[in-house]
Amino acid sequence: MSYILVPLIVVLMIMVVVSLVRGIVAFLQSTKVDLERDPSAGATPAQLMQNKMMFNRIKYQAAAVVVVALLMAMSK
C-alpha cells in the first residue's frame, strides 16, 4: 500500500506548488487600477483566479496531510 501512497504524496506536493505559483502569478497580474477601483463593482478576473488557486492549494495540502497520516498509521 505504501507503494501507492508515496507517489500520491509526491503528486499532491506538485499540485500544491503549481497552485501556489498560479495564485502568485494571478496576484502579480492585478494592477494598481484593479486595487483602486470601486469594490462594489465585484471582483476582477485576476482576483477570482487568485482566490480559486489559493483554495486549490489548501485542498491539495489537506489531501497530502491525510495521505501522510494514513501512511504513518499503516507503518505502526
Side-chain angles (χ1 to χ4, degrees):
M1 186 71 165
S2 66
Y3 295 111
I4 296 170
L5 293 178
V6 172
L8 183 61
I9 292 171
V10 172
V11 168
L12 288 170
M13 288 173 20
I14 291 169
M15 292 171 73
V16 166
V17 171
V18 168
S19 295
L20 178 64
V21 169
R22 287 185 67 194
I24 290 172
V25 168
F27 175 73
L28 292 175
Q29 287 178 349
S30 63
T31 62
K32 188 176 182 181
V33 175
D34 289 340
L35 297 174
E36 292 177 350
R37 67 185 198 86
D38 185 23
S40 65
T44 64
Q47 291 169 338
L48 293 174
M49 178 62 113
Q50 177 187 358
N51 191 21
K52 179 181 172 186
M53 288 300 108
M54 292 301 124
F55 184 71
N56 283 344
R57 180 185 59 84
I58 292 168
K59 287 190 305 188
Y60 297 138
Q61 281 180 325
V65 168
V66 169
V67 172
V68 168
L70 284 171
L71 193 59
M72 290 176 62
M74 289 175 26
S75 70
K76 291 188 177 187

